[in-house]
Amino acid sequence: MQTTDVLLGLLRERGKRGLPLTRIYRQLFNSNLYLTAYGRIYRNKGAMTPGVTEETVDAMAVEKIRDIIAAVRQECYQWQPARRSYVLKKNGKKRPLGLPVWSDKLLAEVIRSILSAYFDETFSEHSHGFRPERGCHTALREIYHTWKGCAWIIEGDISDCFGSLSHDLLISTLSEKIHDGRFLHLMKKLLDAGYVEDWKYHRTLSGVPQGSIVSPILSNILLTKLDTFVETVLIPQYTRGEKRKLNQKYVKLHKQMHKLLSKQQPLLLKHR
C-alpha cells in the first residue's frame, strides 16, 4: 500500500505530463489517504457540526475508515444529502451552506486530494483561487511584477458559481482525463445527493455541493476551460490590432509638413 506522499506525487507527475488517470477508483481503498485526510480536517470548525445525522468527528475511529472503504469497494457507498443552513453576507443577503455528515466529509477530502494533485498541474499559471500555496497574495504579486503597462482592470463575478455548474458538463470534463467509470459514477452520485432544508429533501439538478470540501476543486476543473478560452482566444483577439501602429514621430512630422505646404501654396499661385 503506497503512502500518501508517494501516491500524490505520482498523480502530480501524470498531470504534468498530460497522461490520463486509469483505475483511480482502487486508490480509494488506501487507508493512508483517509488517515491523512483526517489529519487535515478534524480541527475544522465544522467537524463537530452534524449534518442530517448525529455523526461528527467525535465518533471517529479506525473502524469508521474500514467501513467507508468496504462500502466503496463494494460500490455501494451512499452520499447523504447535506443539511442546508444559511450564512449572512456583508451585503445583508444570505448564502446557502451545506453541512455534510462526517463520513462524507472524510471521503470527499480523499477525493479532493486526488483531484487536486492531478489537476492542479493542468491549471493556468494565472489562476490563483482555491489552489495550494496560492491566493490573493500570489495574485497581487503577479500584478505588481508583470502588469507594468496595465492602465485598467476589469473585475467580473460569476453569479451563483457553485450552484450553477452543469452536472453533465462537469462529468464530461472529468471524463476527458479520468478513464475510470467507477470513479465517475461515484462523483455523479455526489453531485446528485441533494440537500435537506426544514426536514424536506430537495434534489440538486445543477451545481456542486455548497459547503463540500470537494466543491472548489470541481469548480476549478470546469472553469479552467474559461481560462484557456480567455488566454488563447480573447486576449489575442483584443490585444493585437489589424495593422501596425504608426510611429508617432512620423505622424507629427507629416502634420508639420502638411501645415507648411498649405501656407506656401498661395505664394506659389501668386508667382505664377
Side-chain angles (χ1 to χ4, degrees), residues 56-70:
T56 64
V57 68
D58 200 34
M60 183 61 190
V62 176
E63 288 74 16
K64 173 66 68 177
I65 294 177
R66 293 172 182 168
D67 292 342
I68 296 175
I69 292 177

Side-chain angles (χ1 to χ4, degrees), residues 96-135:
L97 179 65
L99 302 173
V101 299
W102 170 251
S103 295
D104 288 357
K105 290 179 183 178
L106 192 62
L107 179 56
E109 172 59 21
V110 172
I111 293 174
R112 185 210 62 80
S113 64
I114 291 174
L115 295 178
S116 179
Y118 177 79
F119 281 99
D120 192 72
E121 297 294 338
T122 68
F123 293 156
S124 169
E125 284 298 315
H126 307 294
S127 173
H128 298 271
F130 304 117
R131 296 184 61 185
E133 300 180 3
R134 287 174 177 256

Side-chain angles (χ1 to χ4, degrees), residues 9-231:
L10 292 173
L11 293 177
R12 292 188 190 96
E13 185 62 26
R14 291 191 71 86
K16 187 181 300 183
R17 296 169 60 187
L19 299 175
L21 290 181
T22 58
R23 305 179 67 183
I24 192 64
Y25 187 81
R26 65 178 183 174
Q27 301 301 335
L28 299 178
F29 310 155
N30 190 335
S31 60
N32 289 329
L33 289 177
Y34 293 84
L35 293 173
T36 303
Y38 170 76
R40 287 174 179 161
I41 66 174
Y42 81 95
R43 288 174 292 185
N44 291 354
K45 293 181 179 180
M48 288 296 294
T49 304
V52 293
T53 68
E54 295 299 322
E55 180 191 11
T56 64
V57 68
D58 200 34
M60 183 61 190
V62 176
E63 288 74 16
K64 173 66 68 177
I65 294 177
R66 293 172 182 168
D67 292 342
I68 296 175
I69 292 177
V72 172
R73 189 188 298 272
Q74 297 171 17
E75 301 181 37
C76 62
Y77 186 86
Q78 295 295 328
W79 300 94
Q80 297 295 320
R83 180 172 65 86
R84 173 156 291 189
S85 180
Y86 289 89
V87 179
L88 189 64
K89 299 169 65 174
K90 292 182 179 180
N91 59 7
K93 297 182 180 180
K94 293 183 178 180
R95 178 173 64 89
L97 179 65
L99 302 173
V101 299
W102 170 251
S103 295
D104 288 357
K105 290 179 183 178
L106 192 62
L107 179 56
E109 172 59 21
V110 172
I111 293 174
R112 185 210 62 80
S113 64
I114 291 174
L115 295 178
S116 179
Y118 177 79
F119 281 99
D120 192 72
E121 297 294 338
T122 68
F123 293 156
S124 169
E125 284 298 315
H126 307 294
S127 173
H128 298 271
F130 304 117
R131 296 184 61 185
E133 300 180 3
R134 287 174 177 256
C136 295
H137 59 291
T138 56
L140 291 172
R141 188 182 302 129
E142 179 181 349
I143 293 173
Y144 179 79
H145 289 292
T146 62
W147 295 21
K148 300 294 185 179
C150 180
W152 43 268
I153 297 175
I154 298 176
E155 179 184 5
D157 183 26
I158 301 177
S159 178
D160 189 25
C161 178
F162 279 12
S164 303
L165 300 181
S166 168
H167 289 179
D168 292 338
L169 186 57
L170 182 54
I171 294 298
S172 175
T173 303
L174 288 173
S175 65
E176 293 175 3
K177 296 294 185 180
I178 300 178
H179 301 169
D180 190 328
R182 293 192 297 173
F183 187 89
L184 295 174
H185 180 65
L186 183 65
M187 296 304 301
K188 186 68 168 63
K189 291 170 64 177
L190 169 63
L191 296 174
D192 295 338
Y195 64 94
V196 172
E197 184 176 1
D198 295 330
W199 301 106
K200 183 178 180 180
Y201 174 76
H202 299 267
R203 295 177 60 193
T204 46
L205 303 178
S206 65
V208 291
Q210 294 283 351
S212 173
I213 297 171
V214 77
S215 293
I217 183 64
L218 290 178
S219 64
N220 273 350
I221 291 171
L222 189 54
L223 291 177
T224 191
K225 289 183 174 293
L226 176 61
D227 293 336
T228 303
F229 176 73
V230 170
E231 293 176 11

